[in-house]
C-alpha cells in the first residue's frame, strides 16, 4: 500500500482538525489564524468548520491574550495560541514566565495550565533581526515550561496532539522552512510523547544531535558523510525540555563523537546544554564536541550576508570529517565538491518558496 | 451597619493585626502586604457574590481571600511556609488560593492576574455558565500595558468581569500624582468602553450597595464594568509596621484615620464579636505552628502536572 505523504503544514492542520472535532474544550486563537492564508496553511478553513468561537482572531495584545488563554485554561478550556513570528511572543514573557510556567508550582499543585503556545521561527527572505530569531533556549531555561520542536510532518502532528493533551504549558516551535516539507503521516489521531527523541538515522562513527530544521541539514550531511565512509547517527531531539538525555547519551556512548546542530545562537544555547549534559555524564569523547549554531549576533537582512550567517549541512560535513580523522585540507576539498552539489539560496529552502514570507 | 459586614471587616482587621504582632518573630518569612484600612472593599464586594463566582487578587490579598471565605488556618500556615498552607507552603502570603470558594489565585506581579480573570470569563462565556469573575487590583495596575489589553478584550467580547480598582493613592511609596495625570481612573476605563463607577471604598454600606447593583448588571451579560474605590492603607507597603515616616503627609494620614472603615464602632455586640474572632485566630495560629514543613526534596512533579 502506498504511504500517505502530506506537508508539515497540512499535518499541523490535520492535528487541529482532529483536536477540535474530538474535544470541545480546544480552541485556537492568534493574529490572523482565521484569515485566508491561515498561518502558513496550518489553520486554513478551520473557522468555516468550527466557527468563530473556536477558531478566533485576537487583538494585537500578546501579553494580555496569553493571560486570557491561561485564564481560559483554568476555566477548563484547552486553548492553542499562535504567534506567526516567535519575536512577538517576547511581548508576553511576563505571562509565560511569571504566570503560566509557575501557576501549578506556586499554588501548591492545585491547578495546572494546559495551554499550547505555537511560535514560528524562521530563516531567510530578509526577515532580519526582529523576524527570524530562534528563541527555544530562552523558553527551555524556565522550569515549568515544556518546549518541543518537531522536525518531521509525522512528529508535527503527533507532538501537537500530544501537546494539546498535556496538562502543562507547552511551547510548540515550528520552523518556517519545515512547513513545505512532505513526509509520511498516519491518518487519524496519534500522539508523540513529549520528552522522547527520535533516531532519524542510525550510524556508528559519530552522533549528530539536531533540533528542528537542523535535523534536515543533519540528514543531508549524514548522506554526504556516508559517501566518504563516515557513518553518522542523527538524533532528532524533538523535545528541548524535557530533554531525552538518555537517548542522546546512548548514541554518544556508541560513537564517542558529538556534533550538536541547533537553529539558535551558539552561546548559552541548546548545544551548550547538550554538550554539558554529556560531559557531566562522564561519557568519553574521542574528539572535542562541536556546536553548530548561529554566530552570536542578530540576523542580518541582506541575502548576501545571510549566506554566511546560517550554518548548513556543509558545516556539519566539514566538522564531521575532521572529527572522524580527515585532515583539514582534505576535508575542505571534499566540502568544496559537496557544496557544488547543493542547490538553492541561503535565504530560500527551495525555489517554490517565494516572498514575502 | 449590617452585622455580617461588620463582622467580616473586623475579622480581617484582627487577623492582619495578629500577623503584624507575630511577624517580628521572623517565623513568617515571606513578603507580607497587610490590608488594614482597606477591608470594606473586599467585604462589600464579596458579600454580593454567589458561590460559583471566581475571584482573583494581588499581592495585597488577605482581605479578598478572607472575605471570599478562604480558610483562615490554611492562610496563616501558608505565611509560615507550612505544608498545611493553602499553597502547601510554596507560595507564601503573595500566592493565596482556595479553590473550594473559587478564590482562584493572587500574584504580586502588578496587573498580572487581570488578563487571567478575563480568560476565566472567556471560558464562562464559551461554556455558557452564569457566573461572573471579579478581579481586584490597585491604582498602579492601570499603568501596566496588560491592563489596557485586558479591558480591551473584556469589552470587545462583552465578558462577565467586574474590575475592582482599590485606589489607595500609593504604589509602594510613590504617590499617584507622580505616576498618573490628574484624571480619575474610572473616567479612563469609561473611555475604554466599559461602564465605570467611583465610590467611597471606606464605607462598607456604599461599597455593598454599588457592588450589588453593578454585579447584577454584569451577571445579566451586559459586559464588564469597573468600580474605582477610594481607600487608604494604614500600614507600610510591605511589612508589619505603621508607616515609616516621611513619604505620606501627616494631615493626609489623619484624614483617612477619621474615615477608617471600622470607625466609631463599640458596644456589647462588638466585644462579643471580638472574643469570637480572637478564638478563631488563636486556633489558626496554633494550627499553622503545629503544621509540618513541606517535604524538602522537591522533584519535577511539583513543577509539571502528571498526564
Amino acid at each position: 500500500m502506498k504511504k500517505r505523504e502530506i506537508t508539515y503544514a497540512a499535518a499541523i492542520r490535520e492535528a487541529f482538525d482532529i483536536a477540535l472535532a474530538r474535544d470541545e474544550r480546544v480552541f485556537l486563537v492568534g493574529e490572523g489564524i482565521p484569515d485566508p492564508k491561515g498561518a502558513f496553511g496550518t489553520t486554513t478553513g478551520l473557522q468555516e468548520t468550527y466557527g468563530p468561537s473556536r477558531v478566533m482572531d485576537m487583538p494585537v495584545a500578546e501579553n494580555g491574550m496569553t493571560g486570557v488563554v491561561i485564564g481560559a485554561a483554568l476555566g477548563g478550556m484547552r486553548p492553542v495560541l499562535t504567534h506567526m513570528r516567535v519575536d512577538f511572543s517576547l511581548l508576553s514573557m511576563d505571562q509565560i514566565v511569571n504566570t503560566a510556567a509557575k501557576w501549578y508550582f506556586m499554588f501548591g499543585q492545585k491547578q495546572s495550565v494546559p495551554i499550547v503556545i505555537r511560535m514560528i521561527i524562521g530563516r531567510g527572505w530578509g526577515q532580519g533581526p526582529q523576524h527570524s530569531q530562534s528563541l527555544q533556549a530562552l523558553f527551555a531555561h524556565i522550569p515549568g515550561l515544556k518546549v518541543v520542536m518537531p522536525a518531521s510532518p509525522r512528529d508535527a502532528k503527533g507532538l501537537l496532539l500530544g501537546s494539546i493533551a498535556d496538562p502543562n504549558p507547552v511551547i510548540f516551535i515550528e520552523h518556517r522552512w519545515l512547513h513545505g516539507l512532505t513526509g509520511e503521516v498516519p491518518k487519524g489521531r496519534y500522539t508523540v510523547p513529549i520528552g522522547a527523541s527520535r533516531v532519524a538515522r542510525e550510524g556508528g562513527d559519530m552522533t549528530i544531535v539536531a533540533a528542528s530544521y537542523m535535523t534536515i541539514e543533519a540528514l543531508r550531511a549524514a548522506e554526504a558523510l556516508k559517501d566518504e565512509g563516515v557513518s553518522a547517527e542523527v538524533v532528532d531531539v524533538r523535545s528541548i525540555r524535557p530533554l531525552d538525555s538518555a537517548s542522546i547519551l546512548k548514541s554518544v556512548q556508541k560513537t564517542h563523537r558529538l556534533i550538536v546542530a541547533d537553529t539558535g545562537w551558539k552561546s548559552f544555547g541548546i548545544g551548550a546544554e547538550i554538550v554539558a549534559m554529556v560531559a557531566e555524564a562522564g561519557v568519553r569523547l574521542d574528539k572535542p564536541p562541536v556546536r553548530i549554531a548561529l554566530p552570536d549576533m542578530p540576523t542580518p537582512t541582506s541575502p548576501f550576508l545571510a549566506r554566511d550567517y546560517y550554518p548548513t549541512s556543509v558545516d556539519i560535513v566539514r566538522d564531521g570529517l575532521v572529527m572522524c580523522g580527515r585532515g583539514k585540507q582534505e576535508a575542505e576539498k571534499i566540502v568544496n565538491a559537496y557544496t557544488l552539489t547543493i542547490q538553492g539560496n541561503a535565504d530560500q529552502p527551495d525555489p517554490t518558496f517565494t516572498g514575502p514570507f | 451597619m449590617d452585622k455580617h459586614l461588620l463582622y467580616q471587616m473586623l475579622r480581617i482587621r484582627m487577623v492582619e493585626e495578629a500577623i503584624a504582632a507575630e511577624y517580628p518573630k521572623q517565623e513568617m518569612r515571606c513578603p507580607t502586604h497587610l490590608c488594614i484600612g482597606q477591608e470594606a472593599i473586599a467585604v462589600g464586594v464579596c458579600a454580593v457574590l454567589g458561590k460559583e463566582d471566581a475571584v482573583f487578587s494581588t499581592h495585597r490579598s488577605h482581605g479578598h481571600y478572607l472575605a471570599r471565605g478562604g480558610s483562615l488556618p490554611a492562610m496563616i500556615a501558608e505565611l509560615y511556609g507550612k505544608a498545611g498552607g493553602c499553597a502547601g507552603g510554596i507560595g507564601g502570603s503573595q500566592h493565596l488560593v482556595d479553590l473550594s470558594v473559587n478564590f482562584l489565585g493572587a500574584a504580586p506581579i502588578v496587573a498580572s492576574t487581570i488578563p487571567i480573570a478575563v480568560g476565566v470569563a472567556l471560558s464562562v462565556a464559551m461554556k455558557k455558565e452564569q457566573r461572573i469573575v471579579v478581579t481586584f487590583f490597585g491604582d498602579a495596575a492601570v499603568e501596566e500595558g496588560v491592563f489596557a489589553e485586558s479591558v480591551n478584550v473584556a469589552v470587545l467580547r462583552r465578558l462577565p468581569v467586574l474590575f475592582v480598582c482599590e485606589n489607595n493613592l500609593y504604589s509602594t511609596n510613590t504617590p499617584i500624582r507622580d505616576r498618573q495625570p490628574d484624571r480619575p481612573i474610572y473616567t479612563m476605563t469609561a473611555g475604554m468602553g466599559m461602564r465605570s463607577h467611583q465610590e467611597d471604598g471606606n464605607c462598607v454600606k456604599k461599597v455593598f450597595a454599588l457592588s450589588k447593583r453593578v454585579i447584577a448588571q454584569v451577571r445579566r451579560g451586559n459586559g464588564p464594568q469597573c468600580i474605582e474605590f477610594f481607600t487608604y492603607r494604614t500600614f507600610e507597603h510591605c511589612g508589619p509596621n505603621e508607616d515609616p515616616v516621611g513619604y505620606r503627609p501627616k494631615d493626609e494620614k489623619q484624614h483617612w484615620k477619621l474615615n477608617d472603615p471600622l470607625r466609631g464602632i463599640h458596644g456589647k455586640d462588638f466585644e462579643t464579636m471580638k472574643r469570637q474572632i480572637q478564638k478563631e485566630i488563636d486556633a489558626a495560629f496554633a494550627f499553622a505552628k503545629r503544621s509540618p514543613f513541606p517535604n524538602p526534596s522537591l522533584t519535577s512533579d511539583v513543577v509539571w502536572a502528571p498526564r
Side-chain angles (χ1 to χ4, degrees), chain B residues 124-176:
Chain B
V124 165
M126 291 177 99
K127 293 157 95 174
K128 299 189 167 56
E129 296 171 340
Q130 293 306 307
R131 61 205 187 110
I132 71 154
V133 186
V134 176
T135 175
F136 288 101
F137 53 91
D139 43 296
V142 310
E143 295 155 25
E144 297 282 4
V146 80
F147 175 76
E149 297 182 18
S150 305
V151 171
N152 182 60
V153 178
V155 173
L156 175 74
R157 315 228 12 164
R158 299 174 65 82
L159 298 176
V161 190
L162 176 64
F163 292 79
V164 180
C165 178
E166 299 178 323
N167 184 351
N168 68 11
L169 307 173
Y170 286 85
S171 172
T172 311
N173 300 341
T174 309
I176 193 165

Side-chain angles (χ1 to χ4, degrees), chain B residues 63-106:
Chain B
H64 308 136
Y65 172 95
L66 292 172
R68 186 65 186 130
S71 157
L72 175 61
M75 171 182 139
I76 302 298
E78 190 59 37
L79 268 60
Y80 278 91
K82 296 296 189 73
C86 58
I90 283 179
S93 165
Q94 303 190 103
H95 294 295
L96 300 185
V97 63
D98 191 337
L99 298 186
S100 71
V101 294
N102 280 309
F103 185 88
L104 298 189

Side-chain angles (χ1 to χ4, degrees), chain B:
Chain B
M1 192 189 297
D2 182 290
K3 223 172 174 181
H4 170 75
L5 299 181
L6 170 62
Y7 186 90
Q8 291 301 320
M9 286 201 298
L10 183 62
R11 179 169 174 263
I12 294 167
R13 172 72 53 96
M14 288 175 66
V15 168
E16 295 291 64
E17 285 173 348
I19 293 168
E22 288 288 308
Y23 199 85
K25 293 183 184 162
Q26 304 279 302
E27 289 168 3
M28 286 177 270
R29 302 170 81 90
C30 59
T32 300
H33 304 79
L34 303 178
C35 69
I36 293 174
Q38 304 187 188
E39 298 89 343
I41 301 167
V43 168
V45 173
C46 288
V48 181
L49 297 179
K51 204 169 163 250
E52 300 304 318
D53 297 329
V55 172
F56 284 91
S57 179
T58 67
H59 54 288
R60 199 175 309 285
S61 67
H62 298 178
H64 308 136
Y65 172 95
L66 292 172
R68 186 65 186 130
S71 157
L72 175 61
M75 171 182 139
I76 302 298
E78 190 59 37
L79 268 60
Y80 278 91
K82 296 296 189 73
C86 58
I90 283 179
S93 165
Q94 303 190 103
H95 294 295
L96 300 185
V97 63
D98 191 337
L99 298 186
S100 71
V101 294
N102 280 309
F103 185 88
L104 298 189
I109 303 296
V110 177
S112 70
T113 49
I114 297 173
I116 299 168
V118 173
V120 172
L122 177 65
S123 78
V124 165
M126 291 177 99
K127 293 157 95 174
K128 299 189 167 56
E129 296 171 340
Q130 293 306 307
R131 61 205 187 110
I132 71 154
V133 186
V134 176
T135 175
F136 288 101
F137 53 91
D139 43 296
V142 310
E143 295 155 25
E144 297 282 4
V146 80
F147 175 76
E149 297 182 18
S150 305
V151 171
N152 182 60
V153 178
V155 173
L156 175 74
R157 315 228 12 164
R158 299 174 65 82
L159 298 176
V161 190
L162 176 64
F163 292 79
V164 180
C165 178
E166 299 178 323
N167 184 351
N168 68 11
L169 307 173
Y170 286 85
S171 172
T172 311
N173 300 341
T174 309
I176 193 165
R177 66 169 179 276
D178 290 350
R179 300 180 284 114
Q180 292 179 33
D182 186 16
R183 57 96 186 85
I185 288 170
Y186 83 103
T187 62
M188 179 179 80
T189 54
M192 297 167 87
M194 182 160 61
R195 281 192 71 179
S196 299
H197 319 262
Q198 191 182 39
E199 185 53 280
D200 173 5
N202 277 19
C203 173
V204 75
K205 259 171 99 170
K206 287 180 183 168
V207 173
F208 179 77
L210 179 60
S211 303
K212 197 171 169 188
R213 185 159 60 82
V214 170
I215 285 172
Q217 289 166 1
V218 173
R219 209 180 286 289
R220 276 201 293 274
N222 295 333
Q225 296 200 29
C226 178
I227 309 176
E228 177 191 10
F229 288 113
F230 281 107
T231 188
Y232 201 70
R233 81 173 134 72
T234 310
F235 274 41
E236 59 193 331
H237 162 66
C238 179
N241 305 303
E242 291 237 16
D243 244 353
V245 286
Y247 70 93
R248 297 200 288 194
K250 257 196 185 133
D251 55 342
E252 181 185 284
K253 287 210 274 196
Q254 192 54 33
H255 165 79
W256 285 98
K257 202 156 211 159
L258 293 173
N259 287 290
D260 186 289
L262 282 159
R263 65 191 173 274
I265 296 162
H266 31 78
K268 212 175 120 197
D269 275 2
F270 187 60
E271 294 307 319
T272 315
M273 278 183 196
K274 272 173 114 174
R275 272 197 303 277
Q276 196 180 336
I277 293 166
Q278 192 55 51
K279 248 191 192 162
E280 192 196 355
I281 291 173
D282 292 344
F285 274 84
F287 167 82
K289 289 179 179 176
R290 216 170 45 232
S291 177
F293 280 107
N295 183 345
S297 50
L298 295 178
T299 52
S300 68
D301 59 4
V302 299
V303 179
W304 281 319
R307 279 206 58 181

Side-chain angles (χ1 to χ4, degrees), chain A residues 121 134-141 147 149 173 211 240 262-264 270:
Chain A
I121 61 174
S134 279
L135 302 173
Q136 54 269 27
L138 213 56
F139 297 102
H141 186 62
V147 182
M149 300 181 83
I173 299 178
I240 303 297
D262 179 36
T263 61
I270 304 304

Side-chain angles (χ1 to χ4, degrees), chain A residues 134-357:
Chain A
S134 279
L135 302 173
Q136 54 269 27
L138 213 56
F139 297 102
H141 186 62
I142 307 300
L145 298 180
K146 294 187 176 183
V147 182
V148 299
M149 300 181 83
S152 70
R154 184 196 179 98
D155 286 344
K157 180 177 169 184
L159 266 172
L160 184 50
L161 287 166
S163 300
I164 291 169
D166 198 281
N168 301 288
V170 180
I171 307 294
F172 189 94
I173 299 178
E174 299 158 37
H175 196 288
R176 182 69 190 94
W177 282 25
L178 292 170
H179 283 138
L181 297 186
T182 55
E184 191 213 342
V185 176
K187 283 187 175 170
R189 185 176 186 273
Y190 63 93
T191 60
V192 168
I194 297 174
S197 66
R198 164 183 77 111
V199 176
R201 179 186 173 116
E202 288 191 17
D205 295 332
M206 60 175 296
T207 298
I208 308 168
V209 178
S212 187
Y213 183 74
M214 288 311 283
T215 303
I216 309 301
E217 297 284 353
L219 288 169
R220 281 181 196 146
E223 194 58 32
L225 286 163
K226 190 183 123 202
D227 294 342
E228 296 302 321
V230 172
S231 161
E233 181 148 295
V234 177
V235 179
D236 170 7
V237 291
R238 301 199 293 193
S239 290
I240 303 297
R241 186 167 188 156
L243 186 67
D244 183 1
S245 306
S247 299
I248 294 168
L249 290 172
K250 195 175 153 202
S251 178
V252 182
Q253 271 156 353
K254 178 172 71 176
T255 64
H256 300 285
R257 293 184 181 87
L258 173 64
I259 288 179
V260 185
D262 179 36
T263 61
W265 289 298
K266 185 171 180 176
S267 298
F268 309 96
I270 304 304
E273 178 60 30
I274 290 173
V275 166
M277 184 273 293
V278 169
E280 283 178 339
V283 179
R284 176 181 57 80
L285 292 176
D286 290 346
K287 289 283 162 64
V290 170
R291 287 177 283 165
I292 289 179
L294 296 182
D296 290 323
M297 61 176 68
T299 308
T301 298
S302 162
F304 183 79
L305 294 170
R307 203 164 50 193
D308 284 338
Y309 183 75
Y310 292 106
T312 66
S313 59
V314 171
D315 303 275
I316 302 174
V317 170
R318 181 187 295 111
D319 286 320
L321 288 170
V322 172
M323 187 176 274
C324 290
R326 304 298 174 89
K328 273 195 175 157
Q329 279 182 336
E330 190 196 350
E332 208 51 50
K333 244 189 208 165
I334 296 166
V335 162
N336 286 340
Y338 169 64
T339 307
L340 293 175
T341 69
I342 305 176
Q343 295 185 340
N345 297 318
D347 64 343
Q348 215 180 351
D350 65 74
T352 66
F353 185 98
T354 56
F357 288 113

